Amino acid sequence: MDASDSSDADVTDAAAAAQRSPDHHRDRDHDRDSDGVLAEQLLRLTRRLHRIQSRQLEPIGITPAQFRLLRTVASYDAAPRMADLAQRLDVVPRAVTTLVDALEASGRVRRAPDPDSRRVVRIEITDEGRATLRSLRNARRAAAEEILAPLTAGQREVLGELLSALVDGMPERRC
């Protein structure tokens, strides 16, 4: 192949690329718009779920953040340290202190000294906290049922698989 063949091929390739380019950019812009719409739908759904869950939790006298902390405390085999909770919840320790204060005031958790270190405080769930968790789980199921009501069983299964793929595919973030 001589130099003129090469330059002819380059011109042909460039012309083809220029011809594809507007559609290619349009497709990319459409994908971005679709992703933006999808992100907005997910945000709206999250806000709706949060409102429904808050409405369900209000009669129990607990906030969604307190519920999350209570569930987290209950998930440990042994009473966790405040630092463990902050790390697991991916929040600053002060936020955990505020939540523990409220849960302790309502009798749902208690602070306990660590047997190995006088400086460490552990958080234990109380019987009242366990009873609250049972009520909260029922409220959470009711909130989920309200959100998922328009879907068939098959659609719920597909949604569950899609959400799992998104959650499992997310890289871990640390603030």
Side-chain angles (χ1 to χ4, degrees), residues 144-161:
E145 183 55 42
E146 187 174 333
I147 286 283
L148 298 173
L151 302 179
T152 66
Q155 289 171 323
R156 288 178 186 202
E157 187 175 328
V158 169
L159 177 61
E161 291 169 1

Side-chain angles (χ1 to χ4, degrees), residues 88-106:
R88 172 88 56 97
L89 295 170
D90 199 18
V91 298
V92 296
R94 178 71 191 129
V96 171
T97 301
T98 301
L99 293 171
V100 168
D101 287 347
L103 289 170
E104 187 174 38
S106 66

